[in-house]
Amino acid sequence: PAGSPTVEMFTTRGCTLCEKLRGLLDNLRQEVPHTLLAVDITDPDKVELWEEYRFEIPVLHINGSYCASSDISQ
């Protein structure tokens, strides 16, 4: 709906944490309307995202701003 946030989830194929998060966000959509965009960071045109987030997926951006990640690199 108009005015609802856009949630980008940076992901990779086969990411089980990403699939769980996608399910949670889909279920939440009734209570908190939003648009969910999945961005596969392994796509050839996403090299910069791969370099930045490969150890952190899933990563969420809401309306273009960083929100959260799993951040297993620390």
Side-chain angles (χ1 to χ4, degrees), residues 6-38:
T6 299
V7 178
E8 289 179 288
M9 181 176 68
F10 297 103
T11 183
T12 61
R13 286 179 283 286
C15 172
T16 56
L17 286 175
C18 300
E19 291 304 316
K20 288 180 182 181
L21 180 58
R22 183 188 318 254
L24 289 171
L25 290 169
D26 284 341
N27 290 336
L28 184 63
R29 189 172 285 129
Q30 292 294 335
E31 291 179 46
V32 182
H34 61 275
T35 300
L36 178 61
L37 303 173

